[in-house]
Every structure is written in C-alpha cells, then in structure tokens.
C-alpha cells in the first residue's frame, strides 16, 4: 500500500511539473497564440543571430482597445501560426 501511495505521489509530481513548464512557456504568448514559440527581446535577438531568421516583433499595450480586439483573431489564425515558423517571434507589451 505504501509503494502505491509513493508511486501516485511521484506521478502527480511529474504531471504538476509538466503543467508548470507548459504554463511558463506560454506566458510569453500573453494570449496572442500560446502554440507559437515566443521569445523575450534579448532571447529573440540571440535566436535571430543564431538561426538567421528575421524577428517578428509584436508590440501592444494592455489598455489598447484595438489590441484587445485583435488578440483572439491573431491567436486563432492558422496562417500566423504557420508563418511564425519562419520568424523569431517576440511579443512585447507595456509593463
């Protein structure tokens, strides 16, 4: 019984680690497409230099009505997701 409990704790711990890692990876998307590989500005510069791909810089403000309206359309776009593979995607918002 103790072995089963210990195994369950290990499995739950592993699943929790996976969920935390996924949440952190998607944090840079800020709702603009969590399946896109987003970079911070400094990481994006390094990735662009290394890969030779151009940077696609998404600039937006948290208070901007047009940005809020565009966010779900951007996130749902299959074309943007497909094209994002050809760029280093950087998402920058105001702080």
């Amino acid at each position: 019984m103790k072995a089963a409990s210990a195994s369950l704790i290990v499995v739950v711990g592993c699943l929790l680690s996976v969920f935390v890692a996924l949440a952190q990876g998607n944090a840079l998307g800020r709702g603009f497409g969590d399946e896109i590989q987003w970079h911070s500005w400094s990481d994006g510069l390094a990735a662009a230099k290394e890969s030779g791909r151009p940077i696609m810089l998404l600039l937006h403000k948290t208070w901007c009505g047009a940005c809020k309206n565009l966010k779900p359309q951007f996130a749902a776009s299959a074309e943007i997701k497909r094209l994002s593979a050809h760029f280093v995607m950087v998402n920058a918002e105001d702080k």
Side-chain angles (χ1 to χ4, degrees), residues 12-95:
V12 170
C14 289
L15 288 174
L16 183 59
S17 297
V18 168
F19 289 132
V20 168
L22 288 172
Q24 289 173 343
N26 293 339
L28 290 175
R30 297 180 181 97
F32 279 92
D34 292 337
E35 58 282 335
I36 293 173
Q37 183 181 357
W38 293 102
H39 298 271
S40 67
W41 176 248
S42 57
D43 290 344
L45 285 176
K49 286 179 185 176
E50 184 178 313
S51 69
R53 290 180 291 151
I55 290 175
M56 195 302 222
L57 178 61
L58 176 64
L59 293 171
H60 56 96
K61 300 288 188 179
T62 56
W63 50 261
C64 174
C67 298
K68 289 177 185 178
N69 289 332
L70 182 62
K71 184 185 285 191
Q73 295 172 33
F74 191 102
S77 173
E79 185 174 11
I80 289 174
K81 182 180 177 185
R82 182 181 58 78
L83 291 172
S84 72
H86 302 284
F87 296 88
V88 174
M89 302 292 285
V90 175
N91 186 343
E93 73 176 2
D94 64 335
K95 293 283 179 177

